Amino acid sequence: MKVVLQVGKALALLFWGAALVNLSEPFAQPFAGLLQLAGVLLVGGHLLQLVLFGACLRGAPRLWLARLQVLLFGAFQLFDAYEAQPAVMPVEASALEGVQHA
């Protein structure tokens, strides 16, 4: 799964690079307009992901960096952040009753 996330992030960077080049030197029509539309839609989708899944990022050491990465990479970064979180299993009260303190 880690490889898929890295490839997805690399493709996202390639897209953002093409979108930035398109802003400075527009491609031939209709590709320039379509690329701009795709960029606007992608930023909107990533902003929606920040709103919906922002609570998942609250434990990040640098919150601003985590949010910036979600804006750039979207779900690829969210999955990566989710995998990096330690698994916490709830402890039942009945399991703790038999534990004696030394």
Side-chain angles (χ1 to χ4, degrees):
M1 183 71 170
K2 195 76 165 170
V3 173
V4 173
L5 293 176
Q6 296 301 321
V7 169
K9 286 182 178 184
L11 290 174
L13 278 178
L14 185 67
F15 171 79
W16 288 121
L20 287 175
V21 168
N22 185 42
L23 288 176
S24 64
E25 289 184 33
F27 297 133
Q29 289 298 335
F31 301 114
L34 291 173
L35 189 59
Q36 287 176 350
L37 178 65
V40 168
L41 290 175
L42 201 59
V43 166
H46 290 178
L47 283 172
L48 184 62
Q49 286 176 355
L50 272 177
V51 170
L52 293 176
F53 301 107
C56 297
L57 302 173
R58 296 216 196 277
R62 294 185 192 124
L63 187 59
W64 64 271
L65 182 61
R67 288 180 177 164
L68 178 65
Q69 288 177 335
V70 170
L71 279 176
L72 289 175
F73 304 120
F76 296 117
Q77 180 61 31
L78 287 174
F79 283 128
D80 203 15
Y82 179 75
E83 283 185 349
Q85 290 180 352
V88 178
M89 299 189 66
V91 178
E92 294 181 18
S94 61
L96 293 176
E97 289 175 4
V99 177
Q100 296 179 357
H101 297 287

